């Protein structure tokens, strides 16, 4: 025998579906690049909303009065496009299998950049005398005992004397010269922003006139700020400009990583012919993003480093680097002109944009 229960209104209670109502609804907001400096995001406008609830089958998200977006995962990636910092009303919903819902809302501030690069650091070398000590430090000596000749067989002794480095007439001058000093036959200077200014991603512009002469080796380059912890080349090196006096019209750009140092199989070195490198100023630039490195001269892209597979061996360029300026003399694979006496690299300005 089968019995049925009938309510006071005469309707069979067993025929009514059970209502399932979502509970414990939560909303998490993750603004890309959010940190103590950029509390409203890094300017990309990308925000990830994560909605969770018990007994939920689908979820919905609504930004201000826009059309509701629905999915079954509860994870919504949304890109805001209004420039500046704006407040948005975010409403979220959880729906059960019986169509019942729960909802909540939250007001969210999001920053969207206008994508124009802003000048973050610079030196125009407008004050005569020694380089600004708040911006520049020095490597001195010859690298011994751990790295004699700085690992390349270089012959100079680096100093911080005004004989080798000085700001005058609106330019920084790095002066390599032939003289007996501390057991070496040549002197020069190497400046760096390590522990003073380090950055990740951006554009670097350096307006420079290069020295000439067999044996000169000027460079404008960068090293990973973690070099003392991980060593070279794990820290990554970015050579914005290198020039060798024995190959006078060729200006080079290169990268150094654990996978490849300079020109390796599958990775060429950017080389450009510049005949007036020593008589005219040119702007040597780097555009550094999370995707690639572009090297430019006077605004024209000359070389692009963009490995297909990015890992710690091919792409150590996701951490801060510092700037280095120097003029070396001699190396393991070339000699110095016996009549060499002095050569100067002049830097008109350095600007970093982000």
């Amino acid at each position: 025998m089968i019995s049925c229960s009938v309510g006071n209104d005469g309707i069979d209670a067993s025929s009514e579906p059970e209502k399932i109502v979502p509970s414990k609804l939560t909303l998490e907001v993750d603004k890309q690049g959010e940190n103590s400096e950029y509390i409203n995001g890094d300017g990309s406008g990308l925000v990830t909303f994560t909605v969770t609830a018990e007994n939920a089958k689908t979820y919905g998200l609504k930004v201000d009065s826009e059309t509701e977006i629905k999915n079954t995962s509860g994870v919504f990636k949304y890109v805001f496009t209004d420039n500046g910092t704006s407040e948005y009303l975010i409403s979220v919903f959880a729906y059960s299998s019986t169509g019942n819902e729960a909802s909540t809302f939250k007001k969210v501030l999001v920053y969207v950049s206008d994508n124009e690069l802003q000048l973050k650091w610079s030196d125009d070398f407008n004050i005569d005398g020694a380089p600004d000590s708040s911006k520049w430090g020095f490597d001195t000596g010859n690298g011994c005992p751990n790295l004699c000749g700085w690992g390349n067989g270089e012959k100079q002794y680096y100093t911080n004397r005004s004989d080798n480095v000085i700001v005058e007439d609106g330019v920084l001058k790095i002066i390599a010269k032939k003289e007996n000093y501390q057991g070496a036959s040549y002197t020069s200077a190497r400046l760096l922003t390590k522990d003073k200014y380090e950055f990740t991603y951006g554009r670097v512009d350096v307006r420079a006139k290069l020295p000439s002469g067999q044996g000169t080796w000027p460079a404008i380059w960068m090293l990973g700020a973690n070099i003392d912890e991980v060593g070279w080349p794990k820290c990554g090196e970015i050579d914005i400009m290198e020039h060798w006096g024995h190959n006078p019209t060729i200006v080079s750009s290169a990268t150094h990583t654990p996978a490849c140092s300079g020109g390796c199989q599958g990775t060429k070195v950017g080389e450009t012919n510049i005949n007036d490198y020593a008589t005219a100023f040119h702007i040597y630039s780097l555009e550094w993003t999370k995707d690639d490195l572009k090297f430019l001269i006077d605004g024209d892209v000359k070389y692009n480093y963009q490995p297909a597979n990015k890992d710690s061996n091919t792409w150590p360029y996701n951490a801060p680097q510092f700037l280095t300026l120097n003029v070396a003399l001699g190396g393991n694979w070339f000699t110095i002109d016996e009549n060499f006496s002095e050569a100067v690299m002049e830097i008109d300005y350095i600007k970093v944009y982000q």
Side-chain angles (χ1 to χ4, degrees), residues 100-211:
N100 298 97
E101 71 176 65
S103 64
T104 189
F105 67 89
K106 181 180 291 188
K107 291 182 178 180
V108 176
L109 287 171
V110 181
Y111 166 64
V112 177
S113 170
D114 58 10
N115 292 323
E116 291 185 6
L117 294 174
Q118 304 294 320
L119 182 64
K120 296 296 185 181
W121 184 92
S122 65
D123 199 335
D124 293 307
F125 304 111
N126 288 329
I127 300 177
D128 287 355
D132 186 342
S133 61
S134 70
K135 297 180 178 181
W136 299 100
F138 293 91
D139 274 334
T140 57
N142 58 7
C144 289
N146 298 323
L147 200 64
C148 291
W150 301 99
N152 302 302
E154 301 167 26
K155 307 304 180 186
Q156 79 289 333
Y157 192 101
Y158 284 134
T159 85
N160 58 4
R161 304 176 305 159
S162 59
D163 286 351
N164 296 114
V165 56
I166 192 168
V167 177
E168 58 183 12
D169 301 325
V171 297
L172 170 72
K173 297 179 180 180
I174 298 179
I175 306 160
K177 58 173 54 181
K178 185 175 184 178
E179 63 173 329
N180 293 320
Y181 186 86
Q182 298 294 325
S185 299
Y186 305 90
T187 59
S188 187
R190 181 153 91 175
L191 291 76
L192 60 162
T193 65
K194 190 175 188 297
D195 299 327
K196 297 178 183 289
Y197 180 71
E198 299 160 358
F199 66 100
T200 308
Y201 308 138
R203 178 183 172 113
V204 182
D205 289 339
V206 183
R207 188 171 185 264
K209 184 192 297 183
L210 308 182

Side-chain angles (χ1 to χ4, degrees), residues 62-65 80 87-91 105-108:
K62 191 174 183 180
V63 178
D64 288 335
S65 60
F80 295 86
E87 184 179 75
Y88 301 90
L89 178 64
I90 309 300
S91 303
F105 67 89
K106 181 180 291 188
K107 291 182 178 180
V108 176

Side-chain angles (χ1 to χ4, degrees), residues 3-290:
S3 64
C4 298
S5 108
V6 180
N8 294 332
D9 56 5
I11 299 175
D12 185 353
S14 64
S15 65
E16 292 183 357
E18 180 185 0
K19 291 183 179 180
I20 302 174
V21 179
S23 61
K24 298 182 180 179
L25 176 62
T26 63
L27 168 61
E28 294 183 2
V29 180
D30 180 16
K31 306 170 190 176
Q32 179 167 291
E34 180 180 8
N35 55 37
S36 58
E37 182 177 1
Y38 299 102
I39 60 174
N40 296 314
D42 60 6
S44 65
L46 176 60
V47 180
T48 301
F49 299 99
T50 303
V51 188
T52 59
E54 292 185 0
N55 301 318
K57 187 176 181 180
T58 59
Y59 299 91
L61 178 135
K62 191 174 183 180
V63 178
D64 288 335
S65 60
E66 293 181 5
T67 303
E68 182 182 349
I69 307 167
K70 290 185 177 182
N71 66 29
T72 58
S73 68
V75 178
F76 300 87
K77 291 184 180 293
Y78 191 96
V79 178
F80 295 86
T81 57
D82 291 339
N83 288 339
T85 301
S86 304
E87 184 179 75
Y88 301 90
L89 178 64
I90 309 300
S91 303
V92 295
F93 309 88
Y95 301 96
S96 70
S97 59
T98 59
N100 298 97
E101 71 176 65
S103 64
T104 189
F105 67 89
K106 181 180 291 188
K107 291 182 178 180
V108 176
L109 287 171
V110 181
Y111 166 64
V112 177
S113 170
D114 58 10
N115 292 323
E116 291 185 6
L117 294 174
Q118 304 294 320
L119 182 64
K120 296 296 185 181
W121 184 92
S122 65
D123 199 335
D124 293 307
F125 304 111
N126 288 329
I127 300 177
D128 287 355
D132 186 342
S133 61
S134 70
K135 297 180 178 181
W136 299 100
F138 293 91
D139 274 334
T140 57
N142 58 7
C144 289
N146 298 323
L147 200 64
C148 291
W150 301 99
N152 302 302
E154 301 167 26
K155 307 304 180 186
Q156 79 289 333
Y157 192 101
Y158 284 134
T159 85
N160 58 4
R161 304 176 305 159
S162 59
D163 286 351
N164 296 114
V165 56
I166 192 168
V167 177
E168 58 183 12
D169 301 325
V171 297
L172 170 72
K173 297 179 180 180
I174 298 179
I175 306 160
K177 58 173 54 181
K178 185 175 184 178
E179 63 173 329
N180 293 320
Y181 186 86
Q182 298 294 325
S185 299
Y186 305 90
T187 59
S188 187
R190 181 153 91 175
L191 291 76
L192 60 162
T193 65
K194 190 175 188 297
D195 299 327
K196 297 178 183 289
Y197 180 71
E198 299 160 358
F199 66 100
T200 308
Y201 308 138
R203 178 183 172 113
V204 182
D205 289 339
V206 183
R207 188 171 185 264
K209 184 192 297 183
L210 308 182
S212 63
Q214 165 75 30
T216 58
W217 182 4
I220 301 166
W221 52 301
M222 298 167 61
L223 277 171
N226 60 349
I227 186 171
D228 293 337
E229 291 76 41
V230 304
W232 184 94
K234 286 186 177 181
C235 65
E237 177 180 328
I238 304 173
D239 297 331
I240 300 173
M241 187 290 303
E242 277 188 291
H243 178 265
W244 291 272
H246 66 278
N247 197 10
T249 63
I250 300 298
V251 175
S252 176
S253 301
T255 56
H256 299 266
T257 70
C260 177
S261 189
C264 308
Q265 184 176 3
T267 303
K268 71 172 187 176
V269 171
E271 295 183 344
T272 302
N273 283 292
I274 301 181
N275 292 320
D276 61 351
Y277 66 92
T279 58
F281 282 94
H282 293 275
I283 300 174
Y284 302 96
S285 303
L286 166 72
E287 290 183 356
W288 174 20
T289 73
K290 62 181 179 62

